[in-house]
Amino acid sequence: MAGNSFGQLFRITTFGESHGEAIGVIVDGCPPNIEIDQEFIQSELDKRKPGQSRITTQRKESDTAKILSGVFEGKSTGTPLTLLIPNEDQRSKDYDHNKDIFRPSHADYTYQAKYGIRDHRGGGRSSARETAARVAAGAVAKLFLKTKGIEIFAHVSSAGTIDAPNLASDDLAALLEIRESNIIRCADPATANEMIEMIDGVRKQGDTVGGKISCIIRNCPAGLGEPVFDKLHADLGKAMLSINAVHGFEYGSGFAGSEMKGSEHNDIFKRAEDSAHVTTLTNFSGGIQGGISNGMDIMFRVAFKPIATIMHSQQTIDKDGNATEIKGKGRHDPCVVPRAVPIVEAMAALVIADHVLRQEAMVLHS
Amino acid sequence: MAGNSFGQLFRITTFGESHGEAIGVIVDGCPPNIEIDQEFIQSELDKRKPGQSRITTQRKESDTAKILSGVFEGKSTGTPLTLLIPNEDQRSKDYDHNKDIFRPSHADYTYQAKYGIRDHRGGGRSSARETAARVAAGAVAKLFLKTKGIEIFAHVSSAGTIDAPNLASDDLAALLEIRESNIIRCADPATANEMIEMIDGVRKQGDTVGGKISCIIRNCPAGLGEPVFDKLHADLGKAMLSINAVHGFEYGSGFAGSEMKGSEHNDIFKRAEDSAHVTTLTNFSGGIQGGISNGMDIMFRVAFKPIATIMHSQQTIDKDGNATEIKGKGRHDPCVVPRAVPIVEAMAALVIADHVLRQEAMVLHS
Amino acid sequence: MAGNSFGQLFRITTFGESHGEAIGVIVDGCPPNIEIDQEFIQSELDKRKPGQSRITTQRKESDTAKILSGVFEGKSTGTPLTLLIPNEDQRSKDYDHNKDIFRPSHADYTYQAKYGIRDHRGGGRSSARETAARVAAGAVAKLFLKTKGIEIFAHVSSAGTIDAPNLASDDLAALLEIRESNIIRCADPATANEMIEMIDGVRKQGDTVGGKISCIIRNCPAGLGEPVFDKLHADLGKAMLSINAVHGFEYGSGFAGSEMKGSEHNDIFKRAEDSAHVTTLTNFSGGIQGGISNGMDIMFRVAFKPIATIMHSQQTIDKDGNATEIKGKGRHDPCVVPRAVPIVEAMAALVIADHVLRQEAMVLHS
Amino acid sequence: MAGNSFGQLFRITTFGESHGEAIGVIVDGCPPNIEIDQEFIQSELDKRKPGQSRITTQRKESDTAKILSGVFEGKSTGTPLTLLIPNEDQRSKDYDHNKDIFRPSHADYTYQAKYGIRDHRGGGRSSARETAARVAAGAVAKLFLKTKGIEIFAHVSSAGTIDAPNLASDDLAALLEIRESNIIRCADPATANEMIEMIDGVRKQGDTVGGKISCIIRNCPAGLGEPVFDKLHADLGKAMLSINAVHGFEYGSGFAGSEMKGSEHNDIFKRAEDSAHVTTLTNFSGGIQGGISNGMDIMFRVAFKPIATIMHSQQTIDKDGNATEIKGKGRHDPCVVPRAVPIVEAMAALVIADHVLRQEAMVLHS
């Protein structure tokens, strides 16, 4: 109810502040007998961790996840699977200056208004550091989905005003290789270079810039999603909008689809030539119809605002309402999207894992 | 879990199919002693009901809500408040032709895939008729929010490629009057005329077109929203994405914000001159920071795809996978947005009512 | 959250007041393609309805359930299944005398304290009339459980100080026949006669008396129940304690077991001679170990206090705290247990149906 | 959904196995600005920890709770409060003998049946060690309830067939002092001695014995509890039944009340002489009417079966169904109740804290 849990049957609860002892997550509802590959979990965390490249924050955290419970002889047992990530490089002193000051477009003011108390160090609970716990949990979800053959792939499709073209390949493994070969995590190499150059410039100006991430979910069976409030895309949308700095979500034809006519937009059904498999000629539906997956690729896009911490001096007020100035200290990212790619994938994996279980509870009896 | 409930403390559960006995909703968690103004509930339903104008479906439903429980001598009692809307004008025969055929971009195929059974008449549970129950429940939420001084206003800001300019006035009551004076529900009269003309043309072609709705929530106290997964905008996003035909959601700066720099995007805090009230110079945050309301106007926008039922002949398949053709019968809307305005407001009211209660559970003790 | 829903995956929400328009229930999460036998639902309601015999209240209600949604061509569709039971014999005037008076050991005072408003007519929402909705929903759960071969049987094992002996037969169908052949619903005919005679005496004195109901659940697979908070017996216990007038719950060895030694109490495992089936020599565990069913009969017992409405004059206070007197009017039961038998079975069915779905969501992947 | 969480608004999630790295708990929903007294939390854990006396298991665990998150400068912040208790004295080897054997009346068989995998060491997740996490969380709930003046007191009212008389005093602080002065935790000194002597005998025989715990909750405001499924006593009952080894729960008049007449059982309302405060002459209702607290002492009793691990040789089967023998090794308690007293109090505190928040969400608007 306090909003630190996500999912119904495959359910996670995260905890921890940026500069506390540790952050972590309980995964409750992971089916038993799933191989829990710790190296894979760590490799996912490594994609989100700070200090990866010159276009990410220089804060150093190894972000090593330790399994506290729920695994026996390398497999999930069906009991709560807890992952703990100790905090290491906590320069809390860096934040003394904002103890009583509300940083513009941060959560300082709203936390104070909500709770009447806040841990100001590094943004406390509002820090995007919390998302490391999501990535760890999402890795567990991915291990579960792997047993179903379901794949998830995201990449940076826009940085600022630079947009990647449609992807040249349909091979997710190949795209993943390209994506991981550049520090912006765009699956189009030429665009990646352009984006990196732009972000370098923004970083040197002490400024930040927003971007967009596109995601594909492949091999979902038809039938996932609940038809009214828990539509599959509504749960994906909530998942994405719960990520720090996200300001928009669209799936399938998205905002552009609202300018189209029905005769253009309708996805014509076709039976695959050699099988009973149903496909559609176009996929403006983004793999979801009436809130339920139809077996086509699920496609969505997420918009991130620019990170609020900039190295410029800005006007603001302190907790007594007095006008004052603040200038970013600490170590921050010039562009949020490269490190957000594994977070988008993790949240998508959590949504799909949850709906796989929900559907399987229902479908056995039909 | 089956996704027919929404909200945590102010919680609704809807039921009913398009051509069944009735649709309805249980509102569980409405605080006691709220005046339940039945005329107001009905006036909200009237804005969504079919047959309002030439640009809406000609299906005739009075959509009269009857209160079955939870109200005593005109006031809520704290027990479940049930609203029943009988179905009247059910021409189920109109749907015999699609009993075994999957209409393109409808939920026929996915329901069949999910459940192995479906009520095909008028789309059954997947029909947007379900949203009448939401509007009725949302009206109850509005009555509750009225006691807090919180206002909600939505209008059609785009139809197809026609966009309304920024609103000329900041007076929500005045804007409401303008909006209700035209059949497209746009608060800019000139744009409204242009939109209506365009939709008339689309209707004559037997086609449909999408659109966008913008919404403002005013006078929310600072502090609403939970900071991690149940961010206020994440819950608003899920609420909107759960409405039939919605393909996108953005708040504050939205998708455009992802192209901005931090130095442009940050909202500078200012103390209001004559009070302790905190404001921001700009509102790219859309009234929400770190997932929590900051007291400024909450602003978001919702994109609707064109309705799938068109009067053209389209290729499709039947339940055995054989190729066939289908042509829209029944009575449908050329453009979804005019009737969706009260639905957007209703879902917004439900989210805010829920978070008001959640915050008040927490805040008493702080 | 307001406590009008029960269950997680097989979830019901009830509504309605004793003297309002109607009571009813939404069953959300019933798997699709279950035969919904309306006659069976009605026959269950008939066992709970008032006016059955001289030892039940003479209020006349046909308690006819109407299906509003979720059924198509006689089968569940997976969408919310709504059952409506109109109120008929509402002599609200009978209750004018207690509008401002708090009846002893009723919920009048606590509702007023909680909500600051109450529908006093017939006890409003606190009336056991609400349990008719549970019986209707429980009948749907039973229809689902029938497809799994799971049986539920309850009977009156005590009325006041009269206890039935251990049941002579192990054949639930035969016991059901005996139970339904007497108006107290005890499966031991001699005890039934004794109980009826006693209750007749109590009724003539204008008094009431409590009793106990024992329940057996047979053919549950091993593995139902969640091991920590949602232990199968904890959910059964909550279900039973949520029934009006229940003051105690025990399973297996129950309270008596707390006086035993481990060496007496342990249930020795044995493999059934001709199969891999595991049994225990005794069943002090009541079919549940570590909160999880072990495949043996699940056995529990429920204690009901005497109904508070008596025909004697009693001291009490009015809403202003002034001393006054009250004497029961209206039409009430001298002993709650005969009509509570179908309620106990219904709540048991709902718990088991829920845990069947919960286990099947989990087990597919193991 | 997997049942490792408890509570709605004041919500805990526990994790950990008996012989894993650690056990712990996330408290989500503790209001902000509550003083988090670590010494108090530890003193509660000390009452549950093993090795306290000769009548408890000799396993040695310091059970030191470490706060990982949610506290800033000694106060709760409203974010998840995580408590970690590392496991120390894990003699896992002690359990090698039961790796493939199902101990009678333990959860070995049912876990295997449910999950197809189990951590057999010390019972894994089924070990009562999990309750240490509950006691830590319950201590946080008690700190919150202290700000409301609500007190909770439990003691051992029966061990085997030895029952304590009604308590001589009504002063909970004085009773607590007596209770903590003896190792059985009975608030009647003479009975305590008798119980200890009996348990000493049972221990020497290598056997175990059950018992009962009685609990009083004082100073609850009237109005706590939801009237239908989440009745206050139903939630208390579920909480108690979720504790390892509990086989029964009763409140107020309980099982004995089912033998009474209404004219004896009804609690007559009275206005306290010098105030508007409402009291009842008797308290057969146990402080709860219609599921809602009435302001009187809440009183309930919990029955615990004897612990299953005995030092005798017992018949059983292994995982292949072959007959075999097992004899208790490891270090176990001869009687569960002395260490269960803080668990009962903790679970009671969690239920009440949850309902305080639920009521305050509702009541503000009435």
Side-chain angles (χ1 to χ4, degrees):
Chain A
M1 200 59 43
N4 297 289
S5 298
F6 186 81
Q8 302 291 327
L9 290 181
F10 197 106
R11 182 172 178 84
I12 67 167
T13 304
T14 72
F15 64 88
E17 281 80 38
S18 180
H19 290 225
E21 284 282 334
I23 61 167
V25 60
I26 300 178
V27 182
D28 198 15
C30 179
N33 280 305
I34 304 296
E35 302 268 2
I36 302 302
D37 178 345
Q38 287 210 55
E39 281 182 38
F40 175 72
I41 297 173
Q42 196 56 51
S43 71
E44 291 291 287
L45 281 166
D46 290 348
K47 289 174 190 151
R48 197 217 71 97
K49 79 174 176 190
Q52 295 177 47
S53 75
R54 71 179 187 273
I55 61 167
T56 62
T57 169
Q58 297 308 304
R59 181 171 170 172
K60 295 286 179 198
E61 291 280 0
S62 70
D63 277 359
T64 307
K66 184 175 185 177
I67 295 176
L68 294 186
S69 68
V71 177
F72 184 61
E73 299 179 347
K75 290 185 177 175
S76 62
T77 60
T79 62
L81 198 163
T82 307
L83 293 151
L84 191 78
I85 304 170
N87 289 327
E88 294 168 350
D89 183 20
Q90 311 153 16
R91 298 196 197 155
S92 301
K93 289 253 160 75
D94 278 3
Y95 294 91
D96 280 357
H97 68 300
N98 81 317
K99 188 169 182 183
D100 297 323
I101 292 182
F102 301 136
R103 292 170 297 165
S105 289
H106 273 277
D108 300 340
Y109 170 67
T110 53
Y111 265 68
Q112 190 68 40
K114 182 174 190 67
Y115 297 115
I117 182 174
R118 74 189 167 97
D119 180 350
H120 68 282
R121 301 166 302 163
R125 182 75 178 146
S126 76
S127 166
R129 180 147 183 72
E130 181 269 341
T131 57
R134 305 188 189 197
V135 170
V140 175
K142 281 185 173 183
L143 290 168
F144 166 55
L145 294 179
K146 214 172 96 178
T147 69
K148 305 278 171 186
I150 298 172
E151 293 174 274
I152 296 172
F153 171 78
H155 83 127
V156 172
S157 50
S158 308
T161 55
I162 302 171
D163 297 329
N166 288 339
L167 292 173
S169 159
D170 199 40
D171 175 345
L172 296 187
L175 290 172
L176 180 61
E177 204 170 316
I178 300 173
R179 184 193 89 183
E180 287 303 309
S181 68
N182 67 69
I183 59 177
I184 184 73
R185 288 205 170 85
C186 172
D188 183 75
T191 314
N193 287 338
E194 205 183 333
M195 288 170 168
I196 293 165
E197 196 175 338
M198 181 272 289
I199 293 170
D200 264 334
V202 165
R203 180 173 57 88
K204 281 169 195 158
Q205 290 161 16
D207 211 340
T208 60
V209 67
K212 302 185 193 87
I213 292 176
S214 296
C215 185
I216 298 172
I217 306 170
R218 185 160 291 168
N219 290 332
C220 269
L224 301 191
E226 299 298 331
V228 179
F229 295 110
D230 297 353
K231 289 181 164 81
L232 192 56
H233 58 265
D235 277 356
L236 285 167
K238 173 164 175 171
M240 297 306 141
L241 288 156
S242 79
I243 300 172
N244 306 44
V246 172
H247 268 225
F249 171 85
E250 61 181 5
Y251 82 102
S253 62
F255 273 83
S258 74
E259 303 187 354
M260 292 170 73
K261 296 206 173 140
S263 53
E264 303 166 306
H265 192 276
N266 282 354
D267 294 320
I268 300 305
F269 282 113
K270 215 189 135 183
R271 188 188 196 164
E273 294 223 353
D274 51 350
S275 78
H277 196 62
V278 171
T279 62
T280 60
L281 292 185
T282 49
N283 189 11
F284 291 115
S285 300
I288 303 172
Q289 293 177 323
I292 303 169
S293 64
N294 67 1
M296 298 293 289
D297 279 357
I298 294 172
M299 308 184 79
F300 63 84
R301 204 157 65 124
V302 188
F304 291 78
K305 69 159 190 167
I307 286 174
T309 302
I310 56 176
M311 298 300 126
H312 303 180
S313 189
Q314 297 176 92
Q315 300 295 317
T316 190
I317 57 172
D318 65 19
K319 67 173 184 174
D320 302 315
N322 299 317
T324 180
E325 280 201 1
I326 196 162
K327 190 173 166 182
K329 288 191 201 171
R331 295 151 291 169
H332 298 278
D333 294 79
C335 184
V336 68
V337 282
R339 289 175 60 207
V341 166
I343 308 171
V344 165
E345 287 187 356
M347 293 306 296
L350 290 163
V351 170
I352 300 299
D354 192 37
H355 278 282
V356 166
L357 295 186
R358 290 167 77 167
Q359 174 63 356
E360 298 200 340
M362 174 71 86
V363 90
L364 263 189
H365 314 285
S366 45
Chain B
M1 200 59 43
N4 296 290
S5 299
F6 187 81
Q8 303 291 327
L9 290 181
F10 197 107
R11 182 172 179 86
I12 67 167
T13 303
T14 72
F15 64 88
E17 280 80 37
S18 180
H19 288 52
E21 283 283 334
I23 60 167
V25 61
I26 301 178
V27 182
D28 197 14
C30 180
N33 280 305
I34 305 295
E35 303 268 1
I36 302 302
D37 178 345
Q38 286 210 55
E39 281 182 38
F40 175 72
I41 296 173
Q42 196 56 51
S43 71
E44 291 292 287
L45 281 167
D46 289 348
K47 290 174 190 149
R48 198 218 69 97
K49 79 174 174 191
Q52 294 176 47
S53 74
R54 71 180 187 273
I55 61 166
T56 62
T57 170
Q58 296 309 304
R59 181 171 169 171
K60 293 287 179 199
E61 292 279 1
S62 70
D63 277 358
T64 307
K66 184 174 185 177
I67 295 177
L68 294 187
S69 68
V71 176
F72 184 62
E73 298 179 348
K75 289 186 178 174
S76 63
T77 59
T79 62
L81 197 163
T82 306
L83 293 151
L84 191 78
I85 304 170
N87 289 327
E88 294 167 350
D89 182 19
Q90 309 152 16
R91 298 196 196 156
S92 302
K93 289 255 162 70
D94 278 4
Y95 293 90
D96 280 356
H97 67 301
N98 81 317
K99 188 170 181 183
D100 297 323
I101 292 182
F102 301 137
R103 292 169 297 165
S105 289
H106 273 276
D108 301 339
Y109 171 67
T110 53
Y111 266 68
Q112 189 69 38
K114 183 175 188 67
Y115 298 115
I117 183 174
R118 74 189 167 97
D119 180 348
H120 68 282
R121 300 166 304 164
R125 182 75 178 145
S126 75
S127 166
R129 182 148 182 72
E130 181 269 342
T131 57
R134 305 189 189 195
V135 170
V140 175
K142 282 185 172 182
L143 290 168
F144 166 55
L145 294 179
K146 214 171 98 177
T147 69
K148 305 278 171 185
I150 298 172
E151 294 174 274
I152 294 172
F153 171 78
H155 84 127
V156 172
S157 50
S158 307
T161 56
I162 303 171
D163 297 329
N166 288 339
L167 293 173
S169 159
D170 198 40
D171 175 345
L172 297 186
L175 290 172
L176 181 61
E177 203 170 317
I178 299 172
R179 183 193 88 182
E180 288 302 309
S181 69
N182 65 69
I183 59 178
I184 184 75
R185 289 205 169 84
C186 172
D188 184 75
T191 313
N193 287 337
E194 205 184 333
M195 289 170 168
I196 293 165
E197 194 175 340
M198 182 272 289
I199 293 170
D200 264 334
V202 165
R203 179 173 58 88
K204 282 168 194 159
Q205 291 161 14
D207 210 340
T208 60
V209 68
K212 302 187 194 85
I213 292 176
S214 295
C215 186
I216 298 172
I217 306 170
R218 185 160 291 168
N219 290 331
C220 268
L224 301 190
E226 299 297 331
V228 179
F229 296 109
D230 298 354
K231 289 182 162 79
L232 191 56
H233 58 265
D235 278 357
L236 285 167
K238 173 163 175 172
M240 297 307 142
L241 288 157
S242 79
I243 300 172
N244 305 46
V246 171
H247 268 225
F249 170 85
E250 60 182 6
Y251 82 101
S253 62
F255 273 83
S258 73
E259 303 186 353
M260 292 170 73
K261 296 210 173 135
S263 53
E264 303 166 306
H265 191 277
N266 282 353
D267 294 321
I268 301 305
F269 282 114
K270 215 190 137 182
R271 188 188 197 164
E273 295 221 354
D274 50 350
S275 78
H277 196 62
V278 171
T279 61
T280 59
L281 293 185
T282 49
N283 190 11
F284 291 114
S285 300
I288 302 172
Q289 293 177 323
I292 303 168
S293 64
N294 67 1
M296 299 291 290
D297 280 358
I298 293 171
M299 309 185 78
F300 63 84
R301 204 157 65 122
V302 187
F304 291 77
K305 69 159 190 167
I307 285 174
T309 302
I310 57 177
M311 297 300 126
H312 302 180
S313 188
Q314 295 176 93
Q315 299 296 318
T316 191
I317 56 172
D318 65 19
K319 68 172 183 173
D320 301 316
N322 300 318
T324 181
E325 280 201 0
I326 196 162
K327 190 173 166 179
K329 291 191 199 173
R331 296 150 293 169
H332 298 277
D333 293 78
C335 184
V336 68
V337 283
R339 291 175 59 207
V341 166
I343 308 170
V344 165
E345 288 188 355
M347 292 306 299
L350 289 164
V351 170
I352 299 299
D354 191 39
H355 278 283
V356 166
L357 295 186
R358 289 168 77 166
Q359 173 63 356
E360 297 199 341
M362 175 71 86
V363 90
L364 264 188
H365 313 284
S366 43
Chain C
M1 198 59 41
N4 297 289
S5 299
F6 186 80
Q8 302 291 326
L9 289 181
F10 197 107
R11 183 172 178 85
I12 67 168
T13 303
T14 72
F15 64 88
E17 279 82 36
S18 180
H19 290 225
E21 283 282 334
I23 60 166
V25 61
I26 301 178
V27 181
D28 197 14
C30 179
N33 280 305
I34 304 296
E35 303 267 2
I36 302 303
D37 177 346
Q38 285 210 56
E39 281 182 38
F40 176 72
I41 296 172
Q42 196 56 51
S43 72
E44 291 292 287
L45 281 166
D46 289 349
K47 290 173 189 151
R48 197 218 71 95
K49 78 174 177 190
Q52 295 176 48
S53 76
R54 70 181 186 275
I55 61 167
T56 61
T57 170
Q58 298 308 304
R59 180 171 170 172
K60 294 286 180 199
E61 290 280 359
S62 70
D63 278 358
T64 307
K66 183 174 185 177
I67 295 177
L68 295 187
S69 67
V71 177
F72 183 63
E73 299 179 346
K75 289 186 177 173
S76 63
T77 59
T79 63
L81 198 164
T82 306
L83 293 151
L84 191 79
I85 304 169
N87 289 327
E88 294 168 350
D89 183 21
Q90 310 152 15
R91 298 196 197 157
S92 302
K93 289 252 161 74
D94 276 4
Y95 293 91
D96 280 357
H97 68 300
N98 80 318
K99 187 169 182 181
D100 297 323
I101 293 181
F102 301 137
R103 292 169 297 165
S105 289
H106 273 276
D108 301 339
Y109 170 66
T110 53
Y111 265 68
Q112 190 69 38
K114 182 175 189 68
Y115 298 115
I117 182 174
R118 73 188 168 98
D119 179 349
H120 69 282
R121 300 165 305 165
R125 182 75 179 146
S126 76
S127 166
R129 181 147 183 73
E130 181 270 341
T131 57
R134 304 188 190 197
V135 170
V140 175
K142 281 185 173 182
L143 289 169
F144 166 55
L145 294 177
K146 215 171 97 178
T147 69
K148 305 277 171 187
I150 298 172
E151 293 175 276
I152 296 172
F153 171 78
H155 83 126
V156 172
S157 50
S158 306
T161 56
I162 303 170
D163 298 329
N166 288 339
L167 292 173
S169 160
D170 197 40
D171 175 346
L172 297 187
L175 290 172
L176 180 62
E177 204 171 315
I178 299 172
R179 183 193 89 182
E180 287 302 309
S181 69
N182 66 69
I183 58 178
I184 184 73
R185 290 206 168 83
C186 172
D188 184 75
T191 314
N193 287 337
E194 205 183 334
M195 289 171 169
I196 292 165
E197 197 175 338
M198 181 271 289
I199 293 170
D200 264 335
V202 165
R203 179 171 58 87
K204 281 168 193 157
Q205 291 160 15
D207 211 339
T208 60
V209 67
K212 302 185 195 87
I213 292 176
S214 296
C215 186
I216 298 173
I217 306 170
R218 185 159 291 169
N219 289 332
C220 268
L224 301 191
E226 299 298 330
V228 179
F229 296 109
D230 297 354
K231 288 181 163 81
L232 191 56
H233 58 264
D235 277 356
L236 285 167
K238 173 164 175 171
M240 297 306 141
L241 289 157
S242 78
I243 300 172
N244 304 45
V246 171
H247 268 226
F249 170 85
E250 61 182 5
Y251 82 102
S253 62
F255 273 84
S258 73
E259 302 186 354
M260 292 170 72
K261 295 207 175 139
S263 54
E264 303 166 306
H265 192 276
N266 282 354
D267 293 320
I268 301 304
F269 282 113
K270 214 189 135 181
R271 188 188 196 166
E273 294 221 352
D274 50 351
S275 76
H277 196 62
V278 171
T279 62
T280 61
L281 292 184
T282 50
N283 189 12
F284 292 115
S285 300
I288 303 172
Q289 293 177 324
I292 303 169
S293 63
N294 67 1
M296 299 292 290
D297 279 358
I298 294 171
M299 308 185 78
F300 63 84
R301 205 157 64 123
V302 188
F304 291 77
K305 69 159 191 168
I307 285 174
T309 302
I310 57 177
M311 298 300 126
H312 302 180
S313 190
Q314 296 175 94
Q315 300 296 318
T316 192
I317 56 172
D318 65 19
K319 66 173 184 173
D320 302 316
N322 300 318
T324 181
E325 280 201 2
I326 195 161
K327 190 173 166 179
K329 290 191 200 172
R331 296 149 291 170
H332 298 277
D333 294 78
C335 183
V336 68
V337 281
R339 290 176 60 208
V341 166
I343 308 170
V344 165
E345 288 187 355
M347 292 307 297
L350 289 164
V351 170
I352 300 299
D354 193 36
H355 278 283
V356 166
L357 295 186
R358 289 168 77 167
Q359 174 63 358
E360 297 200 341
M362 174 71 87
V363 90
L364 263 188
H365 314 284
S366 44
Chain D
M1 200 59 44
N4 296 290
S5 298
F6 187 81
Q8 302 291 326
L9 290 180
F10 197 106
R11 182 172 179 84
I12 67 166
T13 304
T14 72
F15 64 88
E17 279 80 37
S18 180
H19 289 224
E21 283 283 333
I23 60 167
V25 60
I26 301 178
V27 182
D28 197 15
C30 180
N33 280 305
I34 305 296
E35 302 268 1
I36 302 303
D37 178 344
Q38 285 209 56
E39 280 182 39
F40 175 71
I41 296 172
Q42 195 57 51
S43 71
E44 292 292 286
L45 281 167
D46 289 348
K47 289 174 191 151
R48 196 216 71 96
K49 78 173 175 191
Q52 294 176 48
S53 76
R54 70 179 186 275
I55 60 166
T56 62
T57 170
Q58 297 308 304
R59 180 172 169 171
K60 294 286 179 200
E61 292 279 2
S62 70
D63 278 359
T64 307
K66 184 175 186 177
I67 296 177
L68 294 186
S69 68
V71 177
F72 184 62
E73 298 179 348
K75 290 187 177 173
S76 63
T77 59
T79 62
L81 197 163
T82 307
L83 293 151
L84 191 78
I85 305 170
N87 288 328
E88 294 167 351
D89 184 19
Q90 310 152 16
R91 299 197 197 156
S92 302
K93 290 255 160 73
D94 277 5
Y95 293 91
D96 280 356
H97 67 300
N98 82 318
K99 186 169 183 181
D100 297 323
I101 292 181
F102 302 138
R103 292 170 297 165
S105 288
H106 273 275
D108 301 339
Y109 170 66
T110 53
Y111 265 68
Q112 190 68 39
K114 183 175 189 66
Y115 298 116
I117 183 174
R118 72 188 169 98
D119 179 350
H120 68 282
R121 300 166 304 164
R125 182 75 178 145
S126 76
S127 166
R129 180 147 184 72
E130 181 269 341
T131 58
R134 304 188 189 196
V135 170
V140 175
K142 281 185 172 182
L143 290 169
F144 165 56
L145 293 178
K146 215 172 97 178
T147 69
K148 304 277 170 187
I150 298 172
E151 292 175 276
I152 295 172
F153 171 78
H155 84 126
V156 172
S157 50
S158 306
T161 56
I162 304 170
D163 297 329
N166 289 340
L167 293 173
S169 160
D170 198 38
D171 175 345
L172 296 186
L175 290 172
L176 180 62
E177 204 170 316
I178 300 171
R179 183 194 87 181
E180 287 303 309
S181 70
N182 65 70
I183 59 176
I184 184 74
R185 289 207 168 82
C186 172
D188 184 74
T191 314
N193 288 336
E194 205 182 333
M195 288 171 169
I196 292 165
E197 195 174 340
M198 181 272 288
I199 292 170
D200 264 333
V202 165
R203 180 173 56 88
K204 282 169 194 158
Q205 292 160 15
D207 211 340
T208 60
V209 68
K212 303 187 194 85
I213 292 176
S214 295
C215 185
I216 299 173
I217 305 170
R218 186 160 289 168
N219 291 332
C220 269
L224 302 191
E226 299 297 332
V228 179
F229 296 109
D230 297 353
K231 288 182 163 79
L232 192 56
H233 58 265
D235 278 356
L236 285 167
K238 173 164 175 171
M240 297 307 142
L241 288 158
S242 78
I243 300 173
N244 304 45
V246 171
H247 269 224
F249 170 86
E250 60 182 6
Y251 82 102
S253 63
F255 273 83
S258 73
E259 302 187 353
M260 292 171 72
K261 295 207 175 139
S263 53
E264 305 166 305
H265 192 276
N266 282 353
D267 295 320
I268 301 304
F269 283 113
K270 216 189 135 182
R271 188 188 195 164
E273 294 222 353
D274 50 351
S275 77
H277 196 62
V278 171
T279 62
T280 60
L281 292 185
T282 50
N283 189 12
F284 291 115
S285 300
I288 302 173
Q289 292 176 324
I292 302 168
S293 64
N294 67 1
M296 299 293 289
D297 280 357
I298 293 171
M299 309 184 78
F300 63 85
R301 204 157 66 122
V302 188
F304 290 78
K305 68 159 190 169
I307 285 175
T309 302
I310 56 177
M311 298 300 127
H312 302 181
S313 188
Q314 295 175 93
Q315 299 296 319
T316 191
I317 55 171
D318 64 19
K319 67 172 183 174
D320 302 315
N322 300 318
T324 181
E325 281 202 358
I326 196 163
K327 190 173 166 180
K329 289 190 200 172
R331 296 149 293 169
H332 298 278
D333 293 78
C335 184
V336 67
V337 281
R339 291 175 59 208
V341 166
I343 308 170
V344 165
E345 288 188 355
M347 292 308 297
L350 289 164
V351 170
I352 301 300
D354 192 38
H355 278 283
V356 166
L357 295 187
R358 289 168 77 166
Q359 174 62 357
E360 297 200 340
M362 175 71 88
V363 91
L364 263 188
H365 314 283
S366 46

